[in-house]
Amino acid sequence: MHSKNYILSIAGCDPSSGAGITSDIKTFEAHNLYGLSVCTAITVQNDIAFEASHWVDVEIIMQQIETLFDRFKIEVVKIGIIQNWKILHEIVKKLKQLNPEVKIILDPILKATAGMALNKNDNVDILDEILDGIFLITPNYDEIQNLYPELSIKETIEHISLKTNLYLKGGHRNNKKGWDQLFYNKNLEETIAPIFKTTYDKHGSGCVFSSSIASYIALEFPLGEAARHAKVYIENFLRSDQSLLGKHTNLIISK
């Protein structure tokens, strides 16, 4: 199998398979990629209730990563739930050590859908170094406000944009709901409008979106195109049915 067909998810295990590594693998397969996975947490949850996270020891996480990189050429990695910023920093450094050219897409999960706080920002100074090492971060409006609490959203966008690419999801906006913004190459901005009038809330939608855009990057689409195609994918996922657990459909767009 060609090296670009491999993609890695580093995330938690959700028993409902709506979020986390199982959701990521479904998304990768829908993009005709072979998904590899490293487990960071065993969660106790379903699609409506989040009860607990049991964190995987950081040494075991590193062993999983090293074993995969020993065997496969991995060029794109999507990262989901991590216990804290310090461990995330260690993971990013390890990935860059194993492949200095690896593109890391970070979905900064700070709060579960059911309302349980995760990934407490216990060392915000490390965040700057993390951003320097990744290719893209994909927060929603709630998450971006908690990345740098002392800054306004506008100031946070400006700060992040100097360090890495930023896709700001608009599903939690008070106005213009569903309108997303991509900030890339330090000085470019693109607004990505909703496609469909009617969509339905889905458990794990953030995981699916970040995995979709990571997939298009792995397929060697430029970031702007990858973002637009991922918007199509996530909205089709959101409108796939009215339940909280969506269906994945192969919507591959040839490059």
Side-chain angles (χ1 to χ4, degrees):
M1 186 181 290
H2 192 280
S3 62
K4 75 176 183 180
N5 287 340
Y6 293 103
I7 185 170
L8 171 62
S9 167
I10 302 177
C13 178
D14 167 15
S16 77
S17 294
I21 52 177
T22 44
S23 175
D24 294 345
I25 295 296
K26 292 177 190 178
T27 307
F28 296 155
E29 287 211 349
H31 291 76
N32 288 343
L33 297 170
Y34 189 95
L36 307 167
S37 61
V38 166
C39 185
T40 60
I42 306 297
T43 66
V44 180
Q45 67 179 126
N46 53 39
D47 57 331
I48 61 172
F50 191 114
E51 297 180 15
S53 266
H54 299 279
W55 301 104
V56 175
D57 186 86
V58 64
E59 291 184 5
I60 297 175
I61 294 173
M62 296 303 182
Q63 289 170 8
Q64 293 179 80
I65 292 171
E66 289 170 353
T67 298
L68 292 176
F69 272 81
D70 282 345
R71 171 65 174 152
F72 307 105
K73 183 172 175 58
I74 302 169
E75 298 174 343
V76 176
V77 177
K78 176 264 170 116
I79 299 179
I81 189 172
I82 304 294
Q83 185 175 1
N84 56 51
W85 296 112
K86 181 180 178 181
I87 292 175
L88 175 57
H89 188 219
E90 292 179 29
I91 290 171
V92 170
K93 287 194 296 183
K94 171 63 71 174
L95 294 172
K96 301 296 282 190
Q97 174 191 336
L98 294 168
N99 179 3
E101 302 303 316
V102 70
K103 290 183 176 178
I104 301 169
I105 290 77
L106 173 62
D107 182 25
I109 301 172
L110 306 179
K111 198 171 187 181
T113 304
M116 182 175 181
L118 302 167
N119 199 355
K120 293 181 180 178
N121 200 343
D122 53 358
N123 195 339
V124 70
D125 292 338
I126 293 178
L127 183 53
D128 278 354
E129 294 185 37
I130 292 170
L131 294 176
D132 286 332
I134 68 173
F135 179 72
L136 176 70
I137 186 169
T138 63
N140 59 37
Y141 262 75
D142 290 341
E143 290 163 342
I144 198 168
Q145 294 177 71
N146 289 304
L147 290 174
Y148 292 92
E150 72 280 7
L151 301 179
S152 67
I153 290 180
K154 182 175 184 294
E155 291 169 334
T156 298
I157 290 171
E158 292 172 351
H159 181 77
I160 293 175
S161 297
L162 293 174
K163 294 182 167 295
T164 190
N165 302 304
L166 165 66
Y167 190 104
L168 181 55
K169 297 174 290 189
H172 291 74
R173 294 180 66 156
N174 293 326
N175 62 333
K176 300 188 75 172
K177 186 178 177 67
W179 288 72
D180 302 343
Q181 293 168 283
L182 174 66
F183 303 88
Y184 61 113
N185 294 343
K186 294 190 176 181
N187 60 0
L188 297 178
E189 178 181 349
E190 183 173 341
T191 299
I192 302 177
I195 301 162
F196 302 107
K197 290 184 177 179
T198 302
T199 58
Y200 306 98
D201 289 342
K202 290 287 181 286
H203 172 53
S205 57
C207 300
V208 173
F209 175 80
S210 58
S211 294
S212 178
I213 196 169
S215 295
Y216 282 113
I217 291 166
L219 292 167
E220 300 181 352
F221 282 83
L223 180 54
E225 288 185 47
R228 291 188 291 275
H229 294 327
K231 180 71 167 178
V232 175
Y233 186 87
I234 189 60
E235 290 215 1
N236 276 282
F237 176 77
L238 293 173
R239 67 196 293 266
S240 60
D241 60 37
Q242 296 186 39
S243 78
L244 286 173
L245 297 174
K247 298 176 183 177
H248 294 263
T249 305
N250 189 317
L251 294 172
I252 289 300
I253 301 169
S254 299
K255 189 171 180 295

